[in-house]
Amino acid sequence: MAAKPILIIVDPQNDFIEGGSLAVSGAQKAMQELTDYLSTRLTLFDRIFVTQDFHPEDHCSFTEQGGTWPKHCVRETFGAEIFPPLKAVLDKCSGVEYCKKGQSKGRDQYSVFDVQNEEITNEDGKKIYDYLKSCEQFCVFMAGIAGDVCVLNTIKDLTQFVENGRIFVFKNFTASLDGGQKLDDYCKENSVNIFSV
Ligand SMILES: [Zn+2]
């Protein structure tokens, strides 16, 4: 049986793109290239999961609450919405699921799985996990923002339960705060395939 190709796009949201409140350099280019790629290849993937940071107004990760990051991806705001050109392409496909994270005021979730004590604690992360488990074999392709934060943490969680699958990272569809070094290093050390198309 052929391995099912699955795409996970991490946080392709307006606030993480140039012009947003927590913009990552190169994010617009990466998301536009991903959009162009997908516009003719949507059917390549068996399923597409899109994760979304979806914070309350007073989330603990914001600097004004003593956290690390400027206010970003507040639910029901433009900043939390998916990069519009990408959303327009994804809307043409029925196999897309949106998975929210970071919804509790007091807890941040860089990874949609938010694995603690070997348990997945986020409901939307469980949906992805259940799907992966239902596949005899799968290949997960990763893209998104930020490569050294949420993409990296999602991959780290995935590697804990991918006995029946492999992980591939689209390097040119990923934008990192550090230019990509941490993600590159992790992939090389953990036999995760990182490549450009
Ligand atoms: Zn966040």
Side-chain angles (χ1 to χ4, degrees):
M1 184 187 169
K4 288 192 176 181
I6 292 144
L7 175 64
I8 300 179
I9 310 171
V10 176
D11 304 1
Q13 294 167 270
N14 293 320
D15 267 345
F16 295 130
I17 293 166
E18 283 90 339
S21 66
L22 181 41
V24 176
S25 176
Q28 172 134 15
K29 183 171 182 284
M31 291 304 97
Q32 189 57 57
E33 284 186 21
L34 171 64
T35 303
D36 296 344
Y37 175 84
L38 281 180
S39 65
T40 55
R41 295 175 184 84
L42 273 180
T43 53
L44 272 184
F45 299 98
D46 203 72
R47 194 69 69 93
I48 298 175
F49 295 100
V50 181
T51 73
Q52 250 181 310
D53 231 10
F54 216 63
H55 296 315
E57 181 81 25
D58 55 353
H59 190 248
C60 64
S61 72
F62 301 161
T63 44
E64 51 196 71
Q65 321 298 331
T68 311
W69 308 107
K71 198 176 208 176
H72 64 279
C73 299
V74 173
R75 60 189 175 210
E76 316 302 344
T77 66
F78 176 76
E81 287 173 16
I82 304 298
F83 179 57
L86 177 62
K87 182 71 168 54
V89 168
L90 293 173
D91 282 348
K92 295 178 190 158
C93 179
S94 58
V96 181
E97 276 196 56
Y98 294 89
C99 301
K100 296 190 168 58
K101 63 190 181 72
Q103 292 174 281
S104 305
K105 177 183 164 181
R107 177 158 181 82
D108 208 1
Q109 293 179 320
Y110 288 165
S111 154
V112 70
F113 301 107
D114 192 23
V115 174
Q116 296 174 62
N117 304 320
E118 298 180 9
E119 292 284 327
I120 295 168
T121 66
N122 185 23
E123 285 307 312
D124 281 8
K126 273 191 196 129
K127 278 197 279 187
I128 303 177
Y129 174 79
D130 288 343
Y131 182 74
L132 295 178
K133 276 289 175 194
S134 76
C135 303
E136 198 168 317
Q137 279 190 310
F138 63 82
C139 295
V140 177
F141 292 84
M142 300 287 309
I145 321 167
D148 47 343
V149 186
C150 291
V151 176
L152 179 59
N153 279 278
T154 307
I155 293 171
K156 282 182 178 173
D157 282 349
L158 266 172
T159 54
Q160 297 189 36
F161 51 79
V162 289
E163 317 85 51
N164 56 331
R166 295 180 68 190
I167 306 169
F168 297 82
V169 181
F170 284 120
K171 189 169 179 162
N172 54 321
F173 303 154
T174 301
S176 300
L177 290 162
D178 72 348
Q181 193 61 50
K182 253 192 232 171
L183 182 61
D184 266 353
D185 290 348
Y186 181 85
C187 289
K188 279 179 194 129
E189 284 159 21
N190 293 277
S191 306
V192 173
N193 306 275
I194 182 161
F195 69 104
S196 294
V197 289

